[in-house]
Amino acid sequence: MNRTEFVIAIAIILFIAFGLGWFAYWLIHRFTRVSKADMGELERMAQELHEAEEMRDQAITYLQQREAELTNQLSQTEAELSAAMEGLREARHEAEDLRTQLERGH
């Protein structure tokens, strides 16, 4: 094999390698290409996810507000119960004092 045949053989080998590489690239992109229908589906799924996140955030906000309201109502109820218990205690003490005065008076 002389020098010219060697150069031609190398050129043919490089051309074949280039052709195989280009074909492999085309084949990969052909099978991995995202179609417009798939893109539309991805857009729709992204929109639904965004809406679901907004609904979740609204639900969390509502639950936090509701929890604050219920905590406030519970605090008020506990304060009212405490005041009622104190009033009952005073009424019992007053009733006991009145009984004691009645018993002394008789």
Side-chain angles (χ1 to χ4, degrees):
M1 181 188 277
N2 64 23
R3 186 175 191 182
T4 305
E5 290 173 347
F6 180 71
V7 168
I8 291 173
I10 294 293
I12 290 171
I13 290 171
L14 288 174
F15 182 75
I16 290 172
F18 171 78
L20 288 174
W22 179 82
F23 180 72
Y25 172 81
W26 176 81
L27 198 59
I28 288 171
H29 279 304
R30 175 84 175 138
F31 289 121
T32 60
R33 185 177 1 164
V34 179
S35 69
K36 288 184 180 181
D38 291 340
M39 286 301 292
E41 181 72 13
L42 289 173
E43 288 286 332
R44 185 186 60 75
M45 288 171 58
Q47 182 65 28
E48 288 177 0
L49 177 62
H50 181 67
E51 290 170 1
E53 287 175 344
E54 285 181 355
M55 288 174 56
R56 182 204 63 202
D57 292 343
Q58 289 174 356
I60 288 172
T61 302
Y62 171 76
L63 288 175
Q64 288 173 342
Q65 290 174 347
R66 188 69 181 141
E67 182 182 11
E69 289 172 7
L70 291 174
T71 302
N72 187 26
Q73 286 179 354
L74 179 62
S75 297
Q76 288 176 355
T77 303
E78 287 175 345
E80 290 172 3
L81 176 63
S82 177
M85 292 298 286
E86 183 64 32
L88 181 60
R89 208 173 286 117
E90 289 176 9
R92 284 182 181 163
H93 183 68
E94 187 177 324
E96 187 65 31
D97 287 345
L98 289 174
R99 263 191 222 120
T100 306
Q101 286 178 3
L102 282 174
E103 289 175 359
R104 284 186 202 159
H106 285 325

